[in-house]
Amino acid sequence: MNETTTDYRQKLIGISKQAYGRAKAKFGLFSGLYGQIQNLAFIYGDVLPKLWGVSGLLLARYLPDRFQGEICQTLVFFFGFNILSTVLSLPVSYYNTFVLEEKFGFNKQTLKLWITDMLKGQMLGVVLGAPIITGVLKIVQKFDTSFYYYLWLFGVFLQVFAITIYPIAILPLFNKLSPLQPGELKTGVEKLAEKLNFPLSELHVIDGSKRSAHSNAYFYGLPWKKHIVIYDTLIEKTEAEEVVAVLGHELGHWSLSHTTKLFGIAQFHMFYIFALFSVFVNNKSLYQSFGFVNQQPIMIGFLLFSDALAPMDAVVKLLMNILSRKFEFEADEFAQKLGYSDKLASSLLKLQIQNLSTMDADPLYASYHYSHPILTERLAALGWKGGKVTSSKEEDSETPVKAADREL
Ligand code: ZN
């Protein structure tokens, strides 16, 4: 056994304490409870009807007649509601970033960046939210009970629009993308893309290290023009060949049409939600039960309806995670067939260690909550026999890398 292997073994043993996973689970429990209490307080305190009433009063008092009516009142309500929920979520978000992530060395954000991110998010909410809400309400008002079909078309259009404008208009507000410098990694990725006929138009590096030690690689774009984005943290922490192996897995998702299938499922999901909503939208007793005696605002109907839908969401989550784990195995197998078995295994191991990810999980818990199979299952499927995991960069690294945001 060589020294590197011993080193990894020791690290794996250290991680078996699973302190980070436990801290995250505890935090999840408390933040969930906090959200639940908030929801109950909103219901028992009649917060929605009160906020709706105040929105109407503000409109009547400060804006001319042509700005009256349900659409304008909904916009004022929506922005008020948005500010209220953001303010309420601040303590949880602050704790997560500056206490929990900080403690385990993952946080790279400054307080200033955290605040500007939040303000930018609010601004985006106003700029994008206003036309979307106006469009939705107009469709529901115009098409009566058959609105769900048109609403669905509007939703599909919005998603395609979002895919198109996200890299140009939204991503640059938060991150800087720069072209990947020529070298072993660039050549490797380009060769891989060519081999698979992947329509690669640009190859970027994103400054993920600005916020956290999270690392990742992903692709996006329309079917004929794709971009690959690699986190600077991933490049820093793994070898070029391992990054290419990770992309072998990612492009496996593309080649096996996983992204298209998920897009299709999302459209079906959206369609049945809107179709069900069309049954609920005129249900007087739903509104009355929550303090809306004389009015039935569409937006409120949708908020109440989504709460009623929550138990069904649990089933959807379970099914989607089962499917997602299947896709992960398939993408691993794809990378394996390309000959990246060893490099993928070693990069998975490195990321797992640097991320302090949970090494083992209760099968029932994992089957509901995990979108990715646990490491041991993936390594076994890759046929990894144990052995040498080499790294020249690992030894001098102090900063852990985390891939929890969107794993490989
Ligand atoms: Zn994957």
Side-chain angles (χ1 to χ4, degrees), residues 249-250 253 328 331 372 378 407-408:
H249 166 100
E250 288 301 327
H253 284 309
E328 290 310 320
H372 286 59
R378 289 179 80 174
E407 291 153 277
L408 310 173

Side-chain angles (χ1 to χ4, degrees), residues 9-173:
R9 284 260 164 104
Q10 278 165 354
K11 283 188 178 171
L12 286 169
I13 292 163
I15 290 156
S16 70
K17 289 173 190 156
Q18 312 213 75
Y20 179 63
R22 225 180 357 246
K24 291 265 286 187
K26 246 187 214 166
F27 171 74
L29 200 68
F30 278 106
S31 62
L33 198 64
Y34 176 71
Q36 201 66 38
I37 292 170
Q38 216 170 287
N39 263 351
L40 285 175
F42 270 42
I43 292 171
Y44 284 107
D46 278 337
V47 173
L48 292 186
K50 280 175 189 159
L51 195 61
W52 180 257
V54 171
S55 310
L57 286 177
L58 284 174
L59 269 190
R61 192 156 175 184
Y62 296 108
L63 290 174
D65 274 357
R66 64 197 162 95
F67 290 113
Q68 308 299 323
E70 187 178 343
I71 293 183
C72 288
Q73 191 169 350
T74 304
L75 290 176
V76 176
F77 169 85
F78 171 73
F79 299 129
F81 186 75
N82 204 11
I83 291 171
L84 184 67
S85 15
T86 306
V87 170
L88 285 171
S89 72
L90 286 182
V92 175
S93 162
Y94 182 89
Y95 182 88
N96 183 37
T97 311
F98 294 104
V99 180
L100 189 109
E101 296 287 297
E102 184 79 42
K103 189 178 159 195
F104 290 91
F106 291 127
N107 179 42
K108 298 283 167 256
Q109 265 191 90
T110 57
L111 189 62
K112 191 180 155 204
L113 184 64
W114 183 73
I115 292 170
T116 48
D117 272 4
M118 186 188 60
L119 293 176
K120 280 181 197 168
Q122 288 290 315
M123 295 279 286
L124 264 183
V126 174
V127 173
L128 299 176
I132 294 174
I133 290 174
T134 309
V136 168
L137 296 185
K138 285 215 166 190
I139 290 171
V140 178
Q141 286 172 347
K142 190 172 164 61
F143 295 102
D144 202 34
T145 46
S146 64
F147 70 81
Y148 62 92
Y149 178 68
Y150 298 93
L151 205 52
W152 176 70
L153 287 178
F154 183 56
V156 175
F157 163 76
L158 281 180
Q159 286 174 72
V160 175
F161 180 68
I163 296 171
T164 322
I165 69 151
Y166 177 78
I168 312 159
I170 299 174
L171 193 62
L173 291 176

Side-chain angles (χ1 to χ4, degrees), residues 210-222:
K210 179 172 150 190
R211 289 193 182 75
S212 93
H214 287 219
S215 74
N216 210 344
Y218 62 92
F219 64 88
Y220 67 81
L222 296 166

Side-chain angles (χ1 to χ4, degrees), residues 287-302:
Y287 294 87
Q288 282 169 351
S289 314
F290 290 92
F292 289 86
V293 184
N294 300 317
Q295 284 173 301
Q296 300 181 32
I298 297 161
M299 171 83 162
I300 300 291
F302 198 74

